């Protein structure tokens, strides 16, 4: 059965889910909504609900979880421990596994042998299992160590990160049907969320809509091939061989440099042995040694800066972040190609930091430079592209660049209609900005005529 772009592939509620600890008290633990007033569980004082409906829906599982949380209060277990406990409780209670494709928890892959052979994962499991035993062992019947490892593996391999409309990571869930979908770095479908309900929607026409012909992405698409393969191997224990991973032009774009011929706008690639190729546009291959060394130094500096950006973001060091990014952008001018993924990452950092320090003209400039690479690596119908356009459009609107802002906002809304649907909050938020922009353009036109 053919599935057209924008159509639903499937939708389902989580079999088991958990809100991230940092949002506890500001979002409902059941539906992840963020109303003005939340009601605290009077038993454990560690879980919050937006109303009695959500509390009642969660009570079947939380009834036992509540006793465990109360026993260790005011301590709060790690999200991974709580997630595993909620899965154990759900299975112990034999809760129905209603889902469109009739999957069961037993159907989920666990990769226990790979986890036992993975020192980091094995150590993580040991810590989780010990904490879970201390935290819940007297209240909940836990599986033996091997059974617990299987459930831990099922969570590691199959859980979905639940995002809000702004792609903020709110929590994690087990979605039984959706766990059947395979990965591609160039997906034909995307998973989005209405609260905790997962919707998988086609972002390209899918001639054959059977589950093995529908692909979503498991990882960040704005990463070079080597990093994507490393992430997939480390997290999911497989290597990807999708069309994007075999697209020579895309691979060469990921780590690309400006052609040494100043009259050419082409790109020069770098292979894994750090050897420069020929310009794809003019064929020039003469990359002087001094320019080569300088280019490699700038590339390495960008990689280092991306790590620094993450630390500065955590510490809210926005001015330092902006200064560091701008310094590197000046050094990379004329060296790193516009589609170089590491350069785009630095541009993104500068864009974000400029917004926080209220340097809006800089933000608009840097944000606009990310848009074409975003489309190249994420694809045209991507939530990441839509949200980047939304952010850039809002800045352009603030700067009274109405025509450009309207174009950005309308493009964002068009993508969101495909990825999220017209009833999603983020689509409605963008629509408000589109209407505001159109109204301000109308007023400007009336003034110019009069």
């Amino acid at each position: 059965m053919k599935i057209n772009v924008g159509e639903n592939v499937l939708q389902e509620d989580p079999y088991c889910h958990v809100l991230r600890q940092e949002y506890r008290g500001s979002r409902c633990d059941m539906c992840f909504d963020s109303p003005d007033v939340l009601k605290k569980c009077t038993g454990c004082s560690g879980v919050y609900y937006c109303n009695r409906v959500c509390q009642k829906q969660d009570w079947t599982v939380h009834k036992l979880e509540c006793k465990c949380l109360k026993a260790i209060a005011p301590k709060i277990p790690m999200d991974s421990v709580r997630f595993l406990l909620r899965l154990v409780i759900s299975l112990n209670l034999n809760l129905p596994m209603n889902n469109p494709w009739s999957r069961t928890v037993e159907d989920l892959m666990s990769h226990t042998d790979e986890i036992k052979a993975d020192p980091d994962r094995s150590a993580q499991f040991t810590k989780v299992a010990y904490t879970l035993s201390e935290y819940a062992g007297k209240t909940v019947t836990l599986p033996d160590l091997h059974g617990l490892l299987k459930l831990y593996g099922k969570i590691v391999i199959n859980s979905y990160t639940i995002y809000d409309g702004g792609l903020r990571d709110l929590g994690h869930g087990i979605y039984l049907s959706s766990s059947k979908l395979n990965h591609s770095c160039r997906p034909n479908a995307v998973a989005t969320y209405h609260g905790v309900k997962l919707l998988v929607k086609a972002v390209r026409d899918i001639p054959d809509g059977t589950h093995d012909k529908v692909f979503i992405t498991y990882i960040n698409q704005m990463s070079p091939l080597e990093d994507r393969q490393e992430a997939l191997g480390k997290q999911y224990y497989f290597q990807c061989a999708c069309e994007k991973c075999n697209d020579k032009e895309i691979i060469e774009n990921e780590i690309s440099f400006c052609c040494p011929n100043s009259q050419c706008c082409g790109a020069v690639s770098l292979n894994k042995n750090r050897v420069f190729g020929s310009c794809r546009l003019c064929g020039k291959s003469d990359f002087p040694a001094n320019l080569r060394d300088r280019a490699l130094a700038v590339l390495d500096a960008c990689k280092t800066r991306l790590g620094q950006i993450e630390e500065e973001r955590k510490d809210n060091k926005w001015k330092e972040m902006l200064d560091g990014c701008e310094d590197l952008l000046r050094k990379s001018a004329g060296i790193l190609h516009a589609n170089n993924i590491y350069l785009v990452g630095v541009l993104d950092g500068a864009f974000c930091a400029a917004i926080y320090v209220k340097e809006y003209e800089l933000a608009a400039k840097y944000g606009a430079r990310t848009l074409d690479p975003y489309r190249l690596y994420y694809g045209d119908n991507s939530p990441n592209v839509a949200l980047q356009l939304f952010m850039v459009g809002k800045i352009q609107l603030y700067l009274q660049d109405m025509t450009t802002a309207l174009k950005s906002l309308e493009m964002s809304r068009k993508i969101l209609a495909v990825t999220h649907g017209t009833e999603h909050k983020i689509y409605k938020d963008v629509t408000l900005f589109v209407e505001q922009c159109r109204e301000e353009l109308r007023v400007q036109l009336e003034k110019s005529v009069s």
Side-chain angles (χ1 to χ4, degrees), residues 25-29 31-39 48-51 54:
S26 63
R27 288 182 177 270
C28 174
D29 276 79
C31 72
F32 288 13
D33 197 5
S34 55
D36 293 334
V37 178
L38 286 164
K39 300 181 183 299
Y48 295 78
Y49 301 104
C50 53
N51 52 44
C54 282

Side-chain angles (χ1 to χ4, degrees), residues 298-358:
V298 170
L299 179 69
D300 291 338
C302 281
K303 294 180 182 180
T304 301
R305 175 104 282 276
L306 293 184
Q308 294 168 340
I309 285 172
E310 288 305 309
E311 294 303 314
E312 290 161 350
R313 194 189 299 270
K314 291 176 186 175
D315 297 334
N316 295 319
K317 294 182 177 179
W318 304 111
K319 185 63 169 64
E320 293 91 331
M321 183 169 158
L322 179 58
D323 289 344
C325 289
E326 286 203 292
D327 179 61
L328 194 47
L329 290 172
R330 283 190 290 269
K331 292 177 180 176
S332 66
I335 296 177
L336 298 186
H337 192 269
N339 290 328
N340 184 297
I341 278 182
Y342 295 107
L343 175 63
V344 179
V346 176
L347 280 168
D348 233 348
F351 174 50
C352 182
I355 292 173
Y356 274 94
V357 300
K358 300 182 179 180

Side-chain angles (χ1 to χ4, degrees), residues 411-426:
M411 289 174 65
S412 173
R413 186 170 68 158
K414 182 179 179 182
I415 297 170
L416 291 169
V418 171
T419 60
H420 290 68
T422 57
E423 295 303 311
H424 198 284
K425 182 180 182 300
I426 188 66

